[in-house]
Amino acid sequence: MGFVDAIKTCFSKYASFSGRATRSEYWWWVLFVVLGGVVTGIVNDGLNAVFGLAILVPSIAAATRRLHDIGKSGWWQLVGFIPLLGLILMIYWTVQPSQGDNEYGSAGPLTAGI
């Protein structure tokens, strides 16, 4: 999945907390969020705040779907509130390869091992 496809997918699944997200989908989304935050922050603080609010729900949904892809509940995102350790743990989990079939659905032939 490429950059544009990942952005389209995350916005089309704006508040979808079910299903799975591949590593590429999630990390392209993260890149979009970082670049968008930098650009809007340079342009205007108000615009940056609006951008942050606009991507809040799809970011949480994408992370939930990514955690589902490795067999974890989306609630594990709350570990991010633990300073430093939470960030390290979330990065570790989100870079893990996709699991095969799990309680959150089938990885399918195109997402297995991605």
Side-chain angles (χ1 to χ4, degrees):
M1 176 173 289
F3 182 74
V4 174
D5 291 332
I7 305 311
K8 287 179 183 177
T9 300
C10 286
F11 275 122
S12 68
K13 296 180 178 180
Y14 191 88
S16 175
F17 296 91
S18 62
R20 299 167 74 158
T22 62
R23 276 190 295 190
S24 60
E25 176 186 339
Y26 178 75
W27 286 107
W28 282 123
W29 175 258
V30 170
L31 178 63
F32 167 74
V33 168
V34 169
L35 292 176
V38 168
V39 170
T40 58
I42 290 171
V43 172
N44 184 320
D45 287 339
L47 182 61
N48 192 18
V50 169
F51 177 76
L53 287 174
I55 55 98
L56 179 64
V57 172
S59 293
I60 295 170
T64 297
R65 291 192 310 273
R66 179 68 202 127
L67 288 172
H68 286 176
D69 195 45
I70 62 165
K72 298 205 175 302
S73 169
W75 287 103
W76 277 105
Q77 289 181 78
L78 295 175
V79 77
F81 286 116
I82 301 170
L84 191 58
L85 177 64
L87 176 64
I88 292 169
L89 195 53
M90 280 299 295
I91 291 172
Y92 174 75
W93 283 336
T94 57
V95 299
Q96 296 302 304
S98 300
Q99 280 189 352
D101 297 347
N102 65 26
E103 64 184 289
Y104 301 103
S106 173
L110 297 177
T111 60
I114 295 178

